Amino acid sequence: QVQLVESGGGLVQPGGSLRLSCAASGNIFRINAMTWYRQAPGKQRELVAGITSNGRSNYADSVKGRFTISRDGAKSTMYLQMDSLKPEDTAVYYCNTLGTTFQYGAFNSWGQGTQVTVSS
């Protein structure tokens, strides 16, 4: 129905940067919101940042000023620019998308996750 593919994770030293991407594909009529979540070992999944169809964004307090979310509507792609990374940012990052398809109505889709490891 709707597929999400994340990319851009990896190993980076503290203070470094990474850029995550999430590309949505399928029978999509409209995307209402795209959100990044993360889950560290032994912890619950938490919201990192989200962006709506009209460009409004929100961030977890822990990443404000360091992470920037953006979206290319024409390509149904979302990005997360992560700067000044800290070891506590280490987690699997997941993309979530809410919207509507042409044929099946509303959807709520998750990507497979991409690992981000911040370590020296």
Side-chain angles (χ1 to χ4, degrees):
Q1 188 174 359
V2 176
Q3 296 79 40
L4 301 180
V5 177
E6 298 131 332
S7 61
L11 172 64
V12 64
Q13 292 186 344
S17 299
L18 283 175
R19 189 190 193 210
L20 304 184
S21 299
C22 171
S25 63
N27 195 25
I28 300 172
F29 170 67
R30 176 182 172 85
I31 291 177
N32 295 324
M34 301 184 80
T35 307
W36 287 101
Y37 291 82
R38 67 186 181 187
Q39 187 166 18
K43 295 187 177 181
Q44 291 188 334
R45 190 171 296 189
E46 63 176 358
L47 183 146
V48 177
I51 188 166
T52 63
S53 58
N54 59 8
R56 288 189 176 182
S57 59
N58 64 291
Y59 297 89
D61 288 342
S62 60
V63 306
K64 282 181 181 177
R66 300 188 298 121
F67 290 9
T68 304
I69 191 170
S70 61
R71 180 184 161 190
D72 183 337
K75 297 181 179 179
S76 298
T77 301
M78 171 176 66
Y79 306 95
L80 185 67
Q81 177 66 40
M82 305 186 293
D83 299 317
S84 302
L85 282 161
K86 304 175 180 179
E88 50 263 44
D89 295 318
T90 296
V92 178
Y93 284 69
Y94 297 92
C95 170
N96 174 264
T97 299
L98 303 175
T100 309
T101 63
F102 283 103
Q103 189 172 3
Y104 301 108
F107 70 87
N108 180 349
S109 294
W110 289 87
Q112 79 286 356
T114 185
Q115 177 69 47
V116 172
T117 302
V118 184
S119 175
S120 55

